[in-house]
Amino acid sequence: MKPENPIGIRRSIATKLLKIVFSFYLLVAVSLTIGQMVMEYRYQKSSVEHDLKAIQQTYEKGLAIDLWQLDDESLSSIIEGMLKLPVVIGVSVRNARGVDVAIGGIIHHHGVRVGNVGQHINLLGLGKEVTTLYDEHHSDNNYVFTHEFPLSYVHGGKTDQLGRVTLYSNSSVVFQRVKLGFLLIVLNAILKTVALWFIFLYFSKKLLRKPLLSLASAVENLSLDNLDSVRVDVGTSGRNELKVIEDSFNSMIGNLRNSVMERERATKALRESEMLRKRVFDSSRIPIVVMDAATCQYVDCNAAAVQVYRYASREDVVGKTPLAFSAPVQYDGTSSDIKALHYITEALEGRPVVFEWLHKRPDGELWDAEVHLLSFSVEGTTMLQFSLLDITDRKRAEEATTLLANAKNKFISVVSHELRSPLATIKEATSLVREEVLGPLNDEQKEMLEIAKSNINRLGRLVNNVLLYQKIDAGKMQYDFLENNINEIIQEAYRNTVLATPERKEDLVINLTPKLPQTRCDKDKIIQVLLNLISNGIKYSDHGPIVIETRLNAHEIEFSLRDAGQGIYPEEIENIFIPFSHGRGRKTGGTGLGLAICKEIILAHSGRIWVESERGKGSTFYFTLPI
């Protein structure tokens, strides 16, 4: 289809370009034509001057003879013949004194015309004054130029100067010669201008206007629905500016087509994601409500939220503020509106917020909720999402657990303190009897008293461990950190163990790395850890070596104790440092607090403690202290 021109030929770029180009072309053409005409005029003027010189050669000798002989008739005939020549408009003959003796045609004295070609020849006679027959003040409009040459006569070997002859010509003579050339020059310039105008108009229409109109038509018909079928062809060949525009426009259509396809895919994915989100949102068992941050009103909620709030439908929730579901006073006595404002402000600053909030149902029932609050944006609108978790049962369980823990601690404290005094009395009384202060004993009685003494000491250690762990658990354990040598501490713990269990002295093996750097620690607490670990090694290995070693790592000192006992079941290793835990291989009674106390002491020293064990092959306990 032929593209329409919506702007008209006069306002088109081609026409404007044509006007600009031909304005400059006309200026150049006129300048060149004028220059050509000036050059032609000068050439013809030079030709006229050459003809005047030729006339001199033709008539010079005759004029000299006639002037010498004073032959008026012959002189008049020569001058008349000269005036008939097309290049001569006037002749003036002067004698040797500079006096005109003959004039004819149009001559000029100081720019004043004194005759014309139509007048008769004036012969004034030799030596007479010049009398003009015409108006001396009648000026000639044409530019006059002259050719002057001397007259001389040779006789008897002598040359006499007779005077001078002046030939007059003017611009009209030159223009007579060049007028046809001028006409051809002007006509040539006009014809070239007109021809170039139409040629330029034709080709600008073909090479510029039509391609641009094709491009405009393609742009006008372009839409998102026909991107696959539209392609611009400006109808030009070769690699030029219009071809670059065509390629760029087709490339733009391709990019636009890809962008539309990508947008459609993204829209489809977004729609599917939104549908999936809506399904997840509606089907989620976690109560979720969404609030507009600008109005502080709920704008959406899921079925779980309607259920936990005990309302009939979603419409009963949407439009209300969070305070409509909140107990007026919270756990800590804070007003619900102040608490809500505090946490909402934190969420709007971009930080996820988790807090507990006491809620109220329509019937006045209070229930505890753990709220997860976060902000997000939808089309420039800031929203807040409240994810609710009913923790009423958990809160009650925590309260019950707290009460039970307080009761347990109180019971342990009372029992422990109440046992220490009777145990001290029983231990003292048993010692008096065993030492026969109250009378002699037989061997059977002494054996029974030794058993009693051992159990009294064990019971005392149990009570001390319970009291110690209770102090650790309450955060009341005091530490005295000083610079100490770990090898010296181990040696002291070894001596105490040998005194308490001399029968296992040979099984205790110590391999200490010499010259270890000092470490900041509480000496008594570390000795307590060492004694506990060594005691466990002796308790759970009836025979075999118990090897104690130290070594220096990069930034810490590592202690290890390896026994040859029964080992620990794999599933029990991760629980072995938990309070009141016992392994299945337990031989003797105990509270299960020894390793838990060791762990708390080592952690307080910024160290690490762990165990490696294989059932039937013994165990190795490790702990580290920083240097």
Side-chain angles (χ1 to χ4, degrees):
M1 186 177 83
K2 183 178 179 181
E4 296 181 358
N5 184 3
I7 58 177
I9 187 64
R10 293 184 178 181
R11 299 175 60 187
S12 69
I13 294 178
T15 303
K16 290 182 179 180
L17 183 62
L18 187 65
K19 290 179 178 179
I20 294 172
V21 170
F22 272 91
S23 295
F24 283 102
Y25 172 79
L26 186 60
L27 179 63
V28 174
V30 169
S31 299
L32 292 177
T33 301
I34 293 174
Q36 189 175 3
M37 294 173 69
V38 170
M39 292 177 65
E40 179 68 14
Y41 175 83
R42 290 181 177 178
Y43 171 76
Q44 293 299 336
K45 182 175 178 290
S46 176
S47 177
V48 170
E49 291 175 346
H50 182 271
D51 290 346
L52 292 176
K53 291 179 181 180
I55 292 172
Q56 171 190 346
Q57 295 174 0
T58 302
Y59 293 99
E60 180 180 8
K61 188 175 181 180
L63 286 171
I65 294 173
D66 290 342
L67 187 60
W68 174 262
Q69 296 176 355
L70 299 176
D71 187 350
D72 292 343
E73 184 177 355
S74 179
L75 181 62
S76 174
S77 177
I78 291 174
I79 292 175
E80 184 176 359
M82 294 173 66
L83 289 173
K84 290 180 180 180
L85 296 174
V87 297
V88 178
I89 65 169
V91 179
S92 172
V93 180
R94 297 182 184 87
N95 58 24
R97 294 174 297 168
V99 177
D100 289 326
V101 294
I103 60 173
I106 300 173
I107 65 173
H108 281 68
H109 286 168
H110 307 292
V112 179
R113 191 177 74 175
V114 295
N116 56 50
V117 178
Q119 297 298 128
H120 294 289
I121 304 299
N122 257 335
L123 296 176
L124 305 178
L126 189 61
K128 294 182 179 181
E129 297 295 331
V130 176
T131 301
T132 59
L133 303 178
Y134 311 104
D135 184 7
E136 296 182 353
H137 300 287
H138 184 72
S139 61
D140 186 5
N141 292 327
N142 290 316
Y143 169 71
V144 176
F145 52 91
T146 62
H147 174 67
E148 189 176 285
F149 57 92
L151 288 178
S152 60
Y153 183 75
V154 179
H155 61 92
K158 181 180 178 181
T159 300
D160 289 332
Q161 296 295 330
L162 303 178
R164 301 187 70 83
V165 178
T166 303
L167 302 179
Y168 291 86
S169 186
N170 64 2
S171 57
S172 63
V173 176
V174 180
F175 280 125
Q176 286 295 327
R177 291 191 176 190
V178 300
K179 62 181 179 181
L180 181 60
F182 281 2
L183 180 61
L184 291 177
I185 291 172
V186 173
L187 183 62
N188 177 53
I190 293 174
L191 290 177
K192 286 195 294 185
T193 301
V194 174
L196 287 177
W197 177 281
F198 283 103
I199 292 172
F200 189 93
L201 186 62
Y202 172 77
F203 283 103
S204 65
K205 179 179 179 181
K206 182 177 180 180
L207 298 177
L208 183 62
R209 180 166 164 265
K210 284 186 178 180
L212 290 179
L213 289 178
S214 299
L215 178 63
S217 176
V219 173
E220 184 177 357
N221 296 326
L222 181 65
S223 67
L224 296 179
D225 298 327
N226 63 357
L227 290 176
D228 293 331
S229 59
V230 172
R231 180 172 179 82
V232 175
D233 184 5
V234 297
T236 184
S237 60
R239 189 67 179 173
N240 54 32
E241 293 83 350
L242 292 174
K243 196 68 176 177
V244 172
I245 294 176
E246 174 189 309
D247 294 343
S248 299
F249 191 79
N250 288 327
S251 176
M252 181 196 71
I253 293 176
N255 293 335
L256 184 60
R257 184 188 307 116
N258 295 335
S259 299
V260 170
M261 294 174 61
E262 185 65 28
R263 188 186 68 178
E264 290 176 351
R265 286 194 294 267
T267 302
K268 182 180 179 182
L270 182 62
R271 190 181 303 113
E272 294 175 351
S273 175
E274 181 63 20
M275 294 175 61
L276 177 62
R277 186 202 68 79
K278 188 67 176 174
R279 287 197 298 269
V280 172
F281 178 78
D282 291 337
S283 62
S284 175
R285 299 178 63 182
I286 299 175
I288 301 175
V289 289
V290 178
M291 186 190 81
D292 187 337
T295 62
C296 289
Q297 291 182 340
Y298 288 148
V299 295
D300 199 3
C301 69
N302 61 1
V306 175
Q307 183 179 0
V308 77
Y309 282 141
R310 303 280 177 86
Y311 277 97
S313 65
R314 172 180 173 275
E315 287 70 22
D316 295 328
V317 178
V318 173
K320 292 183 172 61
T321 66
L323 297 180
F325 307 94
S326 177
V329 180
Q330 296 297 302
Y331 305 105
D332 54 1
T334 306
S335 172
S336 59
D337 56 349
I338 295 178
K339 187 172 185 178
L341 179 62
H342 170 73
Y343 288 118
I344 288 174
T345 301
E346 283 194 7
L348 290 176
E349 290 175 354
R351 298 192 297 270
V353 180
V354 180
F355 61 98
E356 294 181 359
W357 200 348
L358 186 61
H359 279 66
K360 180 182 67 174
R361 292 192 171 99
D363 58 3
E365 179 186 357
L366 298 179
W367 60 284
D368 299 292
E370 181 179 274
V371 181
H372 293 251
L373 182 60
L374 59 89
S375 65
F376 62 96
S377 180
V378 178
E379 296 181 354
T381 302
T382 302
M383 299 289 184
L384 289 171
Q385 177 179 300
F386 293 76
S387 300
L388 308 173
L389 181 63
D390 189 346
I391 59 170
T392 303
D393 293 338
R394 191 185 79 185
K395 291 286 291 185
R396 291 173 181 173
E398 288 176 354
E399 292 175 358
T401 301
T402 301
L403 291 174
L404 182 61
N406 291 337
K408 180 199 72 174
N409 292 334
K410 185 175 181 181
F411 173 76
I412 291 175
S413 178
V414 171
V415 170
S416 299
H417 284 88
E418 291 298 325
L419 284 176
R420 293 185 75 179
S421 297
L423 277 176
T425 303
I426 294 172
K427 182 178 181 180
E428 184 65 26
T430 303
S431 296
L432 290 174
V433 175
R434 188 174 57 83
E435 292 173 1
E436 298 182 349
V437 175
L438 302 178
L441 300 173
N442 56 37
D443 293 338
E444 186 178 356
Q445 290 173 331
K446 290 181 179 179
E447 183 179 356
M448 294 301 296
L449 288 173
E450 286 295 329
I451 294 173
K453 176 186 175 184
S454 175
N455 283 279
I456 290 170
N457 290 335
R458 185 171 63 84
L459 184 58
R461 288 195 299 272
L462 292 177
V463 171
N464 288 335
N465 281 342
V466 169
L467 292 175
L468 180 61
Y469 189 79
Q470 184 185 29
K471 183 183 294 186
I472 293 174
D473 192 41
K476 296 180 180 181
M477 177 71 78
Q478 300 293 324
Y479 292 90
D480 185 16
F481 290 99
L482 297 172
E483 295 289 337
N484 289 286
N485 188 307
I486 187 64
N487 285 345
E488 293 177 359
I489 295 176
I490 293 173
Q491 291 286 357
E492 185 173 342
Y494 169 78
R495 290 191 293 269
N496 291 338
T497 303
V498 169
L499 290 175
T501 55
E503 68 278 7
R504 298 297 299 272
K505 178 180 179 181
E506 300 300 326
D507 293 334
L508 292 174
V509 180
I510 299 179
N511 294 326
L512 304 180
T513 299
K515 297 182 180 180
L516 289 175
Q518 296 207 342
T519 179
R520 283 184 62 80
C521 65
D522 187 320
K523 178 180 178 180
D524 293 336
K525 301 298 188 300
I526 297 301
I527 288 178
Q528 186 174 357
V529 171
L530 292 169
L531 291 177
N532 202 321
L533 295 178
I534 295 172
S535 175
N536 282 347
I538 293 173
K539 184 189 301 182
Y540 292 103
S541 58
D542 296 331
H543 56 80
I546 299 172
V547 182
I548 301 171
E549 296 180 332
T550 57
R551 67 174 181 176
L552 180 64
N553 291 335
H555 302 290
E556 61 186 9
I557 297 173
E558 182 180 286
F559 167 89
S560 65
L561 184 144
R562 184 178 71 254
D563 63 47
Q566 58 190 358
I568 306 170
Y569 289 97
E571 62 271 17
E572 294 176 347
I573 290 180
E574 62 182 14
N575 298 324
I576 197 167
F577 293 101
I578 296 177
F580 306 107
S581 64
H582 296 282
R584 284 181 286 172
R586 174 186 175 190
K587 285 187 174 183
T588 58
T591 61
L593 292 174
L595 292 177
I597 293 172
C598 292
K599 178 182 177 181
E600 295 298 330
I601 292 175
I602 295 302
L603 291 179
H605 283 75
S606 300
R608 297 176 294 125
I609 186 168
W610 70 97
V611 62
E612 295 175 358
S613 180
E614 185 177 351
R615 187 62 183 172
K617 294 185 179 181
S619 305
T620 303
F621 284 84
Y622 299 89
F623 72 82
T624 64
L625 294 175
I627 55 176

